Amino acid sequence: MDKKDLRIIFMGTPEFAVGTLKALVEGEYNVVAVVTQPDKPVGRHGSVLRAPAVKEYAIEHGIDILQPEKMKDENFLEQLRSYQADLQIVVAFRMLPEAVWAMPKFGTFNVHAALLPQYRGAAPINWAIINGETTTGVTTFFLDHDIDTGRIILQSPFDIPEDANVEYVYDGLMNLGAEIAIKTVDMIIAGDGTVESMPQDKMLCKCKELKTAPKIFKDTCKIDWTKKTKEIYDFIRGLSPIPGAWGTITMPNGIELEVKIYKCGEKIYCEEEHVPGKVIKNKKKMYISCNDGLLEIECLQPSGKKKMNALSFINGYLN
């Protein structure tokens, strides 16, 4: 089978998915259509519609676009069938019903931003950093009835530096995900539609603890200053730059202020007790007290204000 004979439908929405779609298009694979979320209302009154990143890329390259409101809608399913796809590839998209993922004769595989079975769920990059992992990766697997539980095809690891935030890991996994997707497609082509895969059940026995990656909400992002310094440091970088960790800090004069924190610096461990969440100024540096020490803050955003560096905050709030 030649790659131009393999009819592919690609499903995805954000920029993360564009990396894989771009690799398929530039590799001259036969992407016959993309499926993405409907345009999203933005602006003060929601009067402007913003197209998903995948749609924008598809328009630029003349690829047919489907944007169903409901994945089980009969009109959408009929459209999907009309493309007679051999394979579907999913990256950062919604949960699919069996009527969709079982449609192609070679199945549907997903590119997941974690080393399954670890970090099943909607926010694997965030939770890997929040939990202080030093390694994550990408996985391709065939979709089945449950979320992120299908048979694993390929995996590729990715190192997380101690100071890396979501943006760094996101970019790295986007590129790595594109590479592993192409390798997976090539394996399917070489096998005339068949490829070896492993049930995740066989890998569960190797996991001392199975960690999940549930969706991130505003309450998820609240900083608990009573936790240890390293935990808070990882929590902040695991939510930076989007959606951003937030919390209430206590100024030296006792006034409480709600802020988002985007970047931290050094961690100072000490046995003496501190009031959790209290701001401590030391010359041109700003620290916040935690359970077992002090955490330097380098970039933050007071509620209702613009993002600023620590020196600007000191000059505006602490002098």
Side-chain angles (χ1 to χ4, degrees):
M1 181 191 304
D2 187 89
K3 64 182 179 181
K4 293 184 179 180
D5 297 325
L6 183 73
R7 296 178 63 82
I8 298 171
I9 286 181
F10 182 85
M11 300 184 180
T13 297
E15 181 188 6
F16 188 88
V18 174
T20 299
L21 178 58
K22 181 180 178 182
L24 289 165
V25 171
E26 292 183 353
E28 298 184 348
Y29 293 84
N30 187 18
V31 180
V32 296
V34 303
V35 181
T36 189
Q37 296 274 37
D39 293 4
K40 184 178 180 180
V42 295
R44 187 172 182 180
H45 303 292
S47 57
V48 178
L49 293 178
R50 177 180 296 168
V54 162
K55 178 180 178 178
E56 291 180 347
Y57 184 88
I59 290 172
E60 290 175 6
H61 294 82
I63 305 171
D64 288 359
I65 301 163
L66 303 178
Q67 293 180 276
E69 291 283 350
K70 297 180 180 180
M71 300 301 289
K72 292 183 180 180
D73 179 82
E74 281 301 326
N75 290 330
F76 164 67
L77 293 175
E78 190 59 37
Q79 278 185 300
L80 204 59
R81 291 188 196 99
S82 71
Y83 286 98
Q84 299 180 325
D86 302 305
L87 177 71
Q88 291 176 159
I89 300 173
V90 180
V91 185
F93 197 50
R94 61 210 291 188
M95 186 176 179
L96 303 181
E98 183 175 2
V100 174
W101 58 256
M103 190 179 293
K105 62 181 179 180
F106 298 152
T108 301
F109 78 79
N110 183 282
V111 180
H112 186 71
L115 298 175
L116 294 172
Q118 294 289 5
Y119 295 106
R120 293 169 174 165
I125 297 176
N126 300 92
W127 286 107
I129 300 172
I130 288 170
N131 289 335
E133 304 286 2
T134 57
T135 303
T136 185
V138 287
T139 302
T140 54
F141 69 97
F142 285 114
L143 265 63
D144 62 12
H145 293 92
D146 298 314
I147 297 176
D148 300 335
T149 61
R151 296 177 64 93
I152 290 175
I153 308 166
L154 288 176
Q155 292 189 314
S156 185
F158 181 84
D159 291 336
I160 305 177
E162 202 270 343
D163 61 346
N165 65 3
V166 171
E167 186 174 38
Y168 174 90
V169 180
Y170 182 100
D171 290 344
L173 294 189
M174 179 173 64
N175 295 327
L176 192 60
E179 292 175 12
I180 199 173
I182 296 298
K183 289 179 182 177
T184 301
V185 174
D186 288 344
M187 288 170 61
I188 292 172
I189 292 172
D192 287 326
T194 62
V195 64
E196 289 187 13
S197 57
M198 178 183 293
Q200 291 190 38
D201 289 348
K202 289 189 176 181
M203 305 177 72
L204 289 175
C205 60
K206 299 179 182 179
C207 302
K208 295 180 181 178
E209 178 187 359
L210 195 61
K211 299 174 183 177
T212 58
K215 189 175 180 178
I216 301 287
F217 296 97
K218 182 180 179 180
D219 287 346
T220 314
C221 303
K222 186 175 182 180
I223 302 168
D224 180 357
W225 296 110
T226 66
K227 290 190 174 183
K228 293 185 177 180
T229 306
K230 177 63 164 63
E231 290 180 281
I232 297 173
Y233 174 83
D234 291 337
F235 185 81
I236 289 170
R237 66 191 182 98
L239 294 167
S240 178
I242 296 173
W246 65 276
T248 300
I249 58 176
T250 304
M251 307 293 280
N253 60 6
I255 293 176
E256 293 188 341
L257 184 67
E258 185 177 303
V259 297
K260 274 190 176 183
I261 299 179
Y262 295 96
K263 188 177 181 182
C264 302
E266 64 178 335
K267 300 177 287 293
I268 300 176
Y269 301 101
C270 51
E271 294 183 358
E272 62 183 280
E273 291 188 8
H274 295 280
V275 177
K278 186 174 181 179
V279 175
I280 297 172
K281 174 189 169 186
N282 183 3
K283 297 181 180 179
K284 295 184 178 181
K285 290 188 176 184
M286 168 188 173
Y287 298 85
I288 298 181
S289 56
C290 310
N291 176 284
D292 61 345
L294 304 175
L295 182 60
E296 182 188 0
I297 306 302
E298 294 185 347
C299 182
L300 71 164
Q301 182 179 12
S303 181
K305 304 293 183 180
K306 293 182 178 180
K307 187 187 296 188
M308 62 185 71
N309 59 33
L311 184 58
S312 296
F313 182 85
I314 289 171
N315 291 335
Y317 289 84
L318 299 179
N319 285 334

